[in-house]
Amino acid sequence: MRIAVGQFSAATDLRLQYCQQLGASGVVLNTPELPGTRYWSYEDLRDLKARCERYGLRLEAIENVPLGFYDHAIWGGPERDAQIEAYQLTIKNMGRAGIPLLGYHWMANGVIRTGWEPRGRGGAVVSVFQADAVKAPGPEMPLDEEGLWANYRYFMEAVLPVAEASGVQLALHPDDPPLPRVAGVPRLFYSFENFQKAAREYPSEAWGLDFCLGTWSEMGPGVLDKLRYFVRQRRVRYVHFRDVRGYVPTFEECFLGEGNYDPVAVMQLLLDEGFDGFAIDDHVPLLVGDEGWGERGRAYTTGYLQGLLTALKAVRAH
Ligand SMILES: [Mn+2]
């Protein structure tokens, strides 16, 4: 098990140097800034990986292609087949470039928050969600949960075999916020039951999870049991370490250890179960002086995880 740093899209020298300074084992690029309006080329992916490696960082995963690469696949639009073909090409090119993991989600309208407010410790700025404050109803979606399932199956049937043949694993992030419908748009991966159902349908090694502790904990109590269930099934490819206070329909993000779960118990569980993937930061509270990506909040989170992992390993070695 190792600690990487993620949630950035431009692999600049300064950013990679910063990750190296934090002592990260690797990085996850989130929707990397690469040329291409439908798919990413082998050459660009190969060069991206080489850039990271020049800083001693493993490119652990790419998280999310632009939503415009596969939005029609999610809601069943006219470009669906063309998008799926291009998505297959991205997977093949990732495999050829030696990038083993592609994170994705199945949200037609993405992550939704109703505010960023100084509600964290000492006035740290955190994201907030209140279902009754969701404004601007999304576009009318002639779609329901069954339709989302059907589109998901259609997509998986097309991309899973390509992922298997390419040596690439797919890692599914839960819908955030995990509600059956947000801003008038239906959702699919908002419950343990729906994840279980998908896991049963896809026994493939290429079907895995980006287990976002924040989002999973927003669903309600018992996040440790859900994590243990999927870790034991060898489905968890990596973990988003982010803490949240409260459950849907109302929650706010917070510093690790202040929210819905005990980070020590989570790390202990991962070690006990022999988890051999990695953990990364996710959203982080913004500290004084932070803006944008939040270097200070990320350094805090990454150091916290590294210290926790180091301490628990040392205790086990005795
Ligand atoms: Mn997440």
Side-chain angles (χ1 to χ4, degrees):
M1 164 142 200
R2 50 200 188 275
I3 309 295
V5 172
Q7 312 300 344
F8 60 99
S9 56
T12 61
D13 288 318
L14 283 178
R15 183 54 56 78
L16 294 172
Q17 185 187 0
Y18 172 88
C19 294
Q20 190 179 32
Q21 289 173 348
L22 289 190
S25 60
V27 290
V28 174
L29 266 291
N30 202 309
T31 320
E33 291 174 7
L34 296 175
T37 53
R38 295 170 51 241
Y39 67 92
W40 291 324
S41 75
Y42 159 69
E43 290 78 12
D44 289 332
L45 291 163
R46 175 200 63 194
D47 293 350
L48 180 66
K49 180 168 184 265
R51 272 185 75 68
C52 298
E53 288 172 352
R54 279 204 292 280
Y55 286 86
L57 299 162
R58 189 198 307 224
L59 179 50
E60 296 273 16
I62 289 179
E63 185 168 324
N64 296 337
V65 300
L67 186 57
F69 281 19
Y70 75 119
D71 56 337
H72 285 226
I74 297 176
W75 64 270
E79 297 301 317
R80 165 161 83 168
D81 287 333
Q83 285 186 345
I84 288 176
E85 211 173 296
Y87 200 98
Q88 290 171 324
L89 198 50
T90 296
I91 292 173
K92 284 181 196 165
N93 291 339
M94 281 183 63
R96 205 177 143 210
I99 304 169
L101 195 52
L102 176 59
Y104 71 105
H105 65 79
W106 201 249
M107 290 178 280
N109 59 345
V111 174
I112 292 182
R113 291 290 186 270
T114 51
W116 276 87
E117 297 173 27
R119 290 210 219 172
R121 188 172 66 211
V125 175
V126 298
S127 90
V128 175
F129 179 78
Q130 270 179 271
D132 57 12
V134 174
K135 291 192 211 90
E140 271 302 309
M141 282 266 159
L143 194 64
D144 57 11
E145 191 169 318
E146 272 315 300
L148 277 174
W149 269 121
N151 295 346
Y152 186 70
R153 289 191 182 104
Y154 189 90
F155 183 69
M156 279 297 124
E157 273 166 33
V159 303
L160 264 188
V162 174
E164 286 164 5
S166 306
V168 172
Q169 295 182 326
L170 304 177
L172 174 61
H173 188 285
D175 296 354
D176 187 9
L179 286 167
R181 186 170 283 268
V182 182
V185 178
R187 303 203 146 197
L188 183 55
F189 292 110
Y190 60 85
S191 69
F192 181 61
E193 290 69 28
N194 281 2
F195 273 94
Q196 273 185 308
K197 187 172 159 186
R200 277 195 297 271
E201 282 193 36
Y202 305 107
S204 166
E205 280 244 326
W207 192 91
L209 302 178
D210 160 9
F211 198 97
C212 179
L213 285 161
T215 313
W216 274 94
S217 84
E218 290 158 18
M219 294 178 199
V223 66
L224 242 70
D225 293 336
K226 294 164 189 167
L227 174 63
R228 186 181 299 106
Y229 176 89
F230 285 116
V231 168
R232 286 192 176 163
Q233 285 201 358
R234 297 284 172 249
R235 295 296 199 163
V236 178
R237 303 293 173 250
Y238 67 113
V239 176
H240 274 185
F241 244 103
R242 182 241 298 176
D243 211 351
V244 172
R245 267 196 285 252
Y247 315 119
V248 285
T250 301
F251 59 82
E252 61 189 34
E253 297 189 0
C254 59
F255 287 97
L256 290 178
E258 294 186 323
N260 290 340
Y261 62 88
D262 175 3
V264 183
V266 168
M267 197 66 90
Q268 191 85 55
L269 185 160
L270 293 171
L271 288 171
D272 286 347
E273 299 295 337
F275 175 67
D276 60 0
F278 60 94
I280 59 167
D281 50 305
D282 191 14
H283 313 160
V284 295
L286 299 181
L287 281 67
V288 171
D290 264 338
E291 53 186 58
W293 190 56
E295 267 84 351
R296 293 161 187 80
R298 290 200 188 270
Y300 174 83
T301 301
T302 303
Y304 186 115
L305 295 177
Q306 289 167 328
L308 187 52
L309 181 60
T310 303
L312 288 178
K313 278 183 174 170
V315 167
R316 298 162 81 85
H318 285 297

